[in-house]
Amino acid sequence: MKPLPKSQHPARNDLYPSRKWGVAGQVRLRKDPVIYEGSNAPPSLELTQMDTYKKQGFIVLDDLFSEQEVHLFKSELDALKQSKSICKSGEVITEPDSNEVRSVFRIHENSRLFSKLSRDKRLSSIARYILGDKVYIHQSRANYKPGFRGKDFYWHSDFETWHVEDGMPRMRALSVSITLTENHHYNGPLMLIPKSHHHFIACDGETPKGHYLRSLKKQELGVPSDNHLRALVSRGGISAITSKPGSIVMFDCNVMHGSSSNISPYPRSNLFFVFNALSNKVEDPFCNLPPRPEYICTRRAISGI
Amino acid sequence: MKPLPKSQHPARNDLYPSRKWGVAGQVRLRKDPVIYEGSNAPPSLELTQMDTYKKQGFIVLDDLFSEQEVHLFKSELDALKQSKSICKSGEVITEPDSNEVRSVFRIHENSRLFSKLSRDKRLSSIARYILGDKVYIHQSRANYKPGFRGKDFYWHSDFETWHVEDGMPRMRALSVSITLTENHHYNGPLMLIPKSHHHFIACDGETPKGHYLRSLKKQELGVPSDNHLRALVSRGGISAITSKPGSIVMFDCNVMHGSSSNISPYPRSNLFFVFNALSNKVEDPFCNLPPRPEYICTRRAISGI
C-alpha cells in the first residue's frame, strides 16, 4: 500500500487551519514571533522602527531608492509587460473586466535587474534580521493597477493563502512593496490594518482546484467575515500608505490588507517581493490540492539570500 | 399633421449637445454664470467662500448641522429604508452585486423631516443667492454606500445627465450633500475635480430607453473619455472631501465628480438635495426619449422655495 501523501496524513500538524470544515471564524493567537532577531540588526534601521514593525505589523521607509533607480525599474517594467514570452507564460494577469495588465509575476527570475534588486542589501538585510534566518524569494511580482479602471483588492492576510494553498508552515515571511508611482490617498493606495497580524482568522469556504486563476484577478476566498474585519479595524484603525516613488512598505505576512478601486488618472504601480525564511520552506498545501505553479510560489528554484 | 414634439423640432436650441452623432469629445466653454447673484448674499457666507465656489466649483461648510440634527436624520433614514411602501415604489436602488440599499430617492416628498430640511434657510438662502432666483428641488436622495462592498461611482457631470435625460436647459442648478457619517479618505469619499465646471464635455454613446434603471446602479454612459479626464485632473487636481457628520458640500451642477469603492467597515452615508432655479425648469429631454420618472426628476410637483 502506498503511503498517504504528507498533506493527507491525519497526524500532520496544522497550526493555522482555515477553509476547513468546522474552523471558519475561529480566531487563534499567533503562535510565531513577529521579529525573530537571529542575525545582527542592520545599521539602516532604528530600534523604534523595529518596535513599530512588531506592534503594528509594518513600517514605511521613505526614499530608500533614488529617482534614477525608480526610473530604471519603470523602464524594465514596460519591457516586461511587452515581452511576448512572458505574456505567453501565463505570468501576466489582466484586470477582471478588461485586458489591461494587472500584475506580472516572477520578476526576480524574468529580469536581471529585478533579480539583482531582490538580493539588494537594503532589503535583504532587514528581511534577514526580522526573520532571523537566511531568506529566499517566495513570490515576486509587479502590480500595475492602471488609472480609471483599477479594481479593488479585498481585505486578506497573505499568510492565510500561502499557508492553505502553498503549504507555508509558519508565520516567518514578510512582503516588501517598492512604490514606483506616487501613492495618493485617492489612487487606491495599500491599506493596512495595524495590529491585525497578532491573530489568525480562519476563513470560510473550500478551495476549488485552480483557484489561483481567479483569485489573482479578484480575491473572493480567504477573506474574513464582516464582523471580524469590524473588530480588527475598531482596534487598529486603517493606515492608507501615501508615499513618494522609491519608498518601501515592509509588512508581516499576516497583516490584513487591501486597497480601494482607482478611478483617478494616476496608475499605482509597485514591485513586490516576498521574503521567506529558509527554515520555513513550503511543504504540501494544507488544502490537499496540487501546489500552485512555480511562478506564484517558489518550490524548486530556492536560492538563499 | 401633428406638430413635432418640442424635443424633435429641428430649431430647438441645444446649448450643450451630448450623446449625439458627431459631438462626442467636443469641449465647450460654459455659457452660463457660476454665480448669478440675483438676491442678497446670505450673512452666513463669506465673500472668499463665494470666490472659491466660483473658481473651484464647490465649497465645504463644516458643522452646519448639529450632532442632534444628524442623529435625527439618521433615524429617519433607517425608517425610510424599512418602509414597505417606499421599497415597492421603485424609489430604492440597491448595489449592483447585492441587495444592500444604495440610494433612496425623493426624500423631500417621502419624509416630513426631510421636506422641512429641503426648505431649511441654511441651505436655501445660499442656493437662492448662487442661482439668483427662487429655487425648487429637482432631485433628492439619501446615499447609503455600505461598508465592505460599496462600489465606486465613476466620474461624471450631473448636468450632462440632467440636460440629456431630463431636459434641464441651462447650468443653473447646484447640489448639496449633507454628510451623516464621518468621511475618511479611505471610505470612498466624494472626489471633485476643481475647475472642471468651466467646460462642458460632450460624451459618447446614445441613451437607451430606461437607461436610468441601470445608470443609478452603475454609471457607464455620460462619462467623459480618459484623455479629457486626464486633462481636467492635470489642471485642477482631485479634491477628496473628508469631513465630519453635519458638514455640507455644495457643488455646481457641472463639476466632474465621482468616488472610489468602499471596502472599509464604515458606511458613507449622506443626504443629497439638488436645487434648480425656478427659471430653469426642465423641458423635454434632449435625447428624444420619454422623461425619467418624477422621483428622479421633478417635473410636476414643483414648489418654489
Side-chain angles (χ1 to χ4, degrees):
Chain A
M1 194 178 130
K2 263 174 75 178
L4 274 171
K6 203 175 171 187
S7 63
Q8 285 170 40
H9 201 284
R12 190 184 185 197
N13 194 11
D14 184 352
L15 285 176
Y16 299 107
S18 182
R19 307 189 211 170
K20 280 183 174 174
W21 191 83
V23 302
Q26 282 181 6
V27 180
R28 282 159 204 266
L29 203 63
R30 180 188 182 111
K31 292 181 173 61
D32 299 303
V34 179
I35 299 189
Y36 286 74
E37 297 180 54
S39 39
N40 291 331
S44 58
L45 220 56
E46 290 163 26
L47 273 180
T48 52
Q49 288 175 313
M50 280 301 90
D51 199 45
T52 303
Y53 184 89
K54 196 169 176 176
K55 282 186 186 150
Q56 308 288 319
F58 62 93
I59 40 166
V60 181
L61 303 176
D62 287 319
D63 303 320
L64 202 70
F65 294 94
S66 70
E67 245 177 76
Q68 206 187 354
E69 286 177 300
V70 169
H71 183 75
L72 277 176
F73 299 159
K74 284 171 93 165
S75 313
E76 183 75 0
L77 263 196
D78 282 340
L80 278 183
K81 200 161 77 168
Q82 276 148 30
S83 151
K84 276 187 190 154
S85 63
I86 292 174
C87 286
K88 271 188 195 160
S89 69
E91 294 172 14
V92 170
I93 310 293
T94 54
E95 289 281 329
D97 304 340
S98 72
N99 281 325
E100 281 194 88
V101 173
R102 179 180 173 113
S103 310
V104 173
F105 275 80
R106 215 167 59 103
I107 53 171
H108 71 292
E109 297 267 356
N110 285 330
S111 141
R112 195 175 292 176
L113 181 69
F114 293 144
S115 172
K116 203 175 141 208
L117 176 60
S118 72
R119 295 188 306 273
D120 190 298
K121 281 231 167 96
R122 284 170 286 184
L123 305 178
S124 61
S125 65
I126 309 180
R128 287 170 64 139
Y129 172 68
I130 291 177
L131 304 177
D133 196 359
K134 276 195 153 185
V135 294
Y136 72 96
I137 300 293
H138 168 69
Q139 185 189 95
S140 70
R141 65 174 191 264
N143 292 322
Y144 289 84
K145 198 157 196 176
F148 301 116
R149 281 162 289 275
K151 293 286 175 255
D152 39 32
F153 281 77
Y154 199 67
W155 299 110
H156 63 284
S157 144
D158 288 330
F159 178 76
E160 196 274 347
T161 295
W162 300 338
H163 182 72
V164 173
E165 299 191 28
D166 296 337
M168 183 183 283
R170 312 291 296 236
M171 295 183 186
R172 198 169 184 170
L174 58 80
S175 297
V176 174
S177 164
I178 306 172
T179 54
L180 300 183
T181 48
E182 188 140 357
N183 281 326
H184 304 276
H185 52 79
Y186 54 69
N187 67 338
L190 175 65
M191 302 195 293
L192 303 130
I193 304 180
K195 302 181 193 169
S196 56
H197 61 310
H198 296 305
H199 292 88
F200 180 78
I201 297 174
C203 297
D204 203 0
E206 200 179 327
T207 320
K209 235 178 172 172
H211 176 236
Y212 68 94
L213 291 168
R214 263 186 295 152
S215 69
L216 299 180
K217 285 179 184 268
K218 195 174 177 189
Q219 179 122 19
E220 282 168 338
L221 254 187
V223 301
S225 73
D226 293 1
N227 280 339
H228 286 119
L229 282 171
R230 217 173 267 123
L232 289 176
V233 170
S234 86
R235 189 180 52 186
I238 292 175
S239 278
I241 310 295
T242 54
S243 62
K244 292 234 165 85
S247 308
I248 70 159
V249 191
M250 196 172 253
F251 57 102
D252 179 82
C253 59
N254 190 42
V255 174
M256 204 60 77
H257 61 286
S259 61
S260 299
S261 62
N262 177 17
I263 67 168
S264 90
Y266 305 118
R268 189 178 71 83
S269 184
N270 63 353
L271 302 175
F272 196 78
F273 295 99
V274 180
F275 293 94
N276 190 20
L278 262 185
S279 53
N280 194 38
K281 282 202 285 274
V282 298
E283 301 171 357
D284 288 341
F286 282 89
C287 59
N288 293 341
L289 286 174
R292 302 198 293 177
E294 183 80 9
Y295 73 86
I296 299 177
C297 163
T298 309
R299 196 170 284 275
R300 291 186 300 271
I302 289 176
S303 73
I305 301 170
Chain B
M1 196 179 130
K2 262 174 77 179
L4 274 170
K6 201 175 171 188
S7 62
Q8 284 168 42
H9 202 285
R12 188 185 186 196
N13 194 12
D14 185 352
L15 285 176
Y16 299 107
S18 181
R19 307 189 212 169
K20 280 184 174 172
W21 191 84
V23 303
Q26 283 181 6
V27 179
R28 282 159 204 266
L29 203 64
R30 180 189 184 111
K31 292 180 172 64
D32 299 302
V34 179
I35 299 190
Y36 285 75
E37 296 179 55
S39 39
N40 291 332
S44 58
L45 220 56
E46 290 164 25
L47 273 179
T48 53
Q49 288 175 314
M50 279 302 89
D51 199 45
T52 303
Y53 185 89
K54 195 170 178 175
K55 282 187 186 148
Q56 309 289 320
F58 62 92
I59 40 165
V60 181
L61 303 177
D62 287 319
D63 303 320
L64 202 69
F65 294 94
S66 70
E67 245 176 78
Q68 206 187 352
E69 284 176 301
V70 169
H71 183 76
L72 277 176
F73 298 160
K74 286 171 92 166
S75 311
E76 182 75 0
L77 264 194
D78 282 340
L80 278 183
K81 200 162 76 169
Q82 277 148 29
S83 150
K84 275 186 190 154
S85 63
I86 292 173
C87 286
K88 270 189 197 160
S89 69
E91 294 172 14
V92 170
I93 310 294
T94 54
E95 290 282 328
D97 304 339
S98 71
N99 280 325
E100 281 193 88
V101 173
R102 180 180 172 114
S103 310
V104 173
F105 276 80
R106 215 167 60 106
I107 53 171
H108 72 291
E109 298 266 356
N110 285 330
S111 140
R112 195 176 292 177
L113 182 69
F114 293 144
S115 172
K116 203 176 139 205
L117 176 60
S118 72
R119 296 187 308 271
D120 189 298
K121 279 227 168 97
R122 283 170 287 183
L123 306 178
S124 61
S125 64
I126 310 180
R128 288 171 63 140
Y129 172 68
I130 290 177
L131 304 177
D133 194 0
K134 274 195 155 187
V135 293
Y136 72 97
I137 299 294
H138 168 69
Q139 187 188 94
S140 70
R141 65 174 189 265
N143 292 321
Y144 289 85
K145 199 157 196 177
F148 303 116
R149 280 162 290 276
K151 294 286 174 252
D152 39 32
F153 280 77
Y154 199 67
W155 300 110
H156 63 284
S157 143
D158 287 331
F159 178 76
E160 197 273 346
T161 295
W162 299 339
H163 182 70
V164 173
E165 300 190 27
D166 295 338
M168 183 184 282
R170 313 289 297 232
M171 294 183 186
R172 198 169 185 171
L174 59 80
S175 298
V176 174
S177 164
I178 306 172
T179 55
L180 299 184
T181 49
E182 187 139 359
N183 279 326
H184 306 276
H185 52 79
Y186 53 69
N187 67 338
L190 175 66
M191 303 196 292
L192 303 130
I193 304 181
K195 302 181 194 169
S196 56
H197 61 310
H198 296 305
H199 292 88
F200 180 78
I201 297 173
C203 297
D204 202 0
E206 200 180 325
T207 320
K209 233 178 172 171
H211 176 236
Y212 68 94
L213 291 168
R214 264 185 294 151
S215 69
L216 299 180
K217 284 176 183 272
K218 195 173 175 187
Q219 179 120 20
E220 282 167 339
L221 255 186
V223 302
S225 74
D226 292 1
N227 280 340
H228 286 119
L229 281 171
R230 217 174 265 121
L232 290 177
V233 170
S234 86
R235 188 180 55 185
I238 292 175
S239 278
I241 310 294
T242 53
S243 62
K244 294 236 165 86
S247 309
I248 71 158
V249 191
M250 197 172 252
F251 56 103
D252 179 82
C253 58
N254 190 42
V255 174
M256 205 60 78
H257 62 285
S259 62
S260 300
S261 61
N262 177 17
I263 67 167
S264 89
Y266 304 118
R268 189 177 72 81
S269 185
N270 63 352
L271 303 175
F272 196 79
F273 294 99
V274 180
F275 292 93
N276 190 21
L278 262 185
S279 53
N280 194 38
K281 282 201 284 275
V282 297
E283 301 170 357
D284 287 341
F286 283 89
C287 60
N288 294 342
L289 285 175
R292 302 198 292 177
E294 182 81 9
Y295 73 86
I296 300 177
C297 162
T298 308
R299 196 169 284 275
R300 291 187 300 271
I302 289 177
S303 73
I305 300 170

